[in-house]
Amino acid sequence: WQRRNNFFYSFWFVTFFMIFGICIAGWIDMARVVRGEMIRLKETDFAAAAKIDGISGIRILFRHLLPNALGMIVVNFLFLIPQAIFTEAFLSFLGVGLSAPTASLGTLIQEGRDRMILYPCELLAPLITLCVLLVVFHILAMAMERRGGQTD
């Protein structure tokens, strides 16, 4: 019982700090892009008209600026998903991330690398899965970015 409880604790401990580290490293770019978009939107005619009408700054932010910036925020977030997936797989491959009993693409690739000569499918299956996953999320983000530029 003690060993199982220790495994559960270490799994969640490592997973939490890996996700926490990825979030700490990834929020800076998102904050810079959102700040730039808010500054750009603040200078538009509808924001100036709302300010002339006497609407408070908080209401302008939530009623006018955030809805107009939401598409850009979603697209930027979708571009961060493949980056986070790759970072997790890379850290797990190096042995810094999730440990071997936990199913992660990085740990599966690491285990497949050891048996590459006898069982090449153990290396190719997780590699192809990782590549397809990254390409699909990137294509989805690019489609959302193109869709966001269109006016209906």
Side-chain angles (χ1 to χ4, degrees):
W1 168 257
Q2 183 65 27
R3 178 170 167 77
R4 191 168 140 191
N5 192 13
N6 192 13
F7 168 76
F8 182 77
Y9 173 73
S10 74
F11 167 75
W12 288 110
F13 183 76
V14 170
T15 304
F16 171 76
F17 279 106
M18 186 173 9
I19 291 171
F20 184 72
I22 290 171
C23 290
I24 289 295
W27 78 271
I28 298 168
D29 291 332
M30 175 73 95
R32 181 183 51 82
V33 170
V34 169
R35 180 181 179 271
E37 185 71 14
M38 289 297 169
I39 290 172
R40 185 188 70 80
L41 287 173
K42 193 169 71 169
E43 303 300 323
T44 58
D45 292 337
F46 64 86
K51 190 171 212 145
I52 289 171
D53 283 345
I55 299 175
S56 68
I58 298 293
R59 186 173 170 120
I60 292 173
L61 175 70
F62 285 109
R63 296 280 290 184
H64 300 287
L65 299 181
L66 275 179
N68 285 306
L70 190 60
M72 184 271 319
I73 293 170
V74 169
V75 168
N76 198 6
F77 182 72
L78 282 175
F79 276 117
L80 289 176
I81 291 174
Q83 180 183 356
I85 291 171
F86 180 77
T87 302
E88 184 275 326
F90 181 70
L91 290 175
S92 296
F93 176 77
L94 291 177
V96 179
L98 300 175
S99 58
T102 308
S104 167
L105 287 173
T107 56
L108 292 175
I109 292 169
Q110 175 65 25
E111 290 175 3
R113 186 181 65 112
D114 296 337
R115 296 186 210 76
M116 182 171 54
I117 301 297
L118 294 175
Y119 306 107
C121 288
E122 285 189 19
L123 177 65
L124 291 177
L127 273 175
I128 291 171
T129 303
L130 179 64
C131 291
V132 167
L133 195 62
L134 295 177
V135 167
V136 164
F137 273 113
H138 192 71
I139 289 173
L140 177 67
M142 287 177 56
M144 291 289 285
E145 186 178 40
R146 265 187 254 117
R147 176 76 176 145
Q150 297 175 357
T151 57
D152 292 330

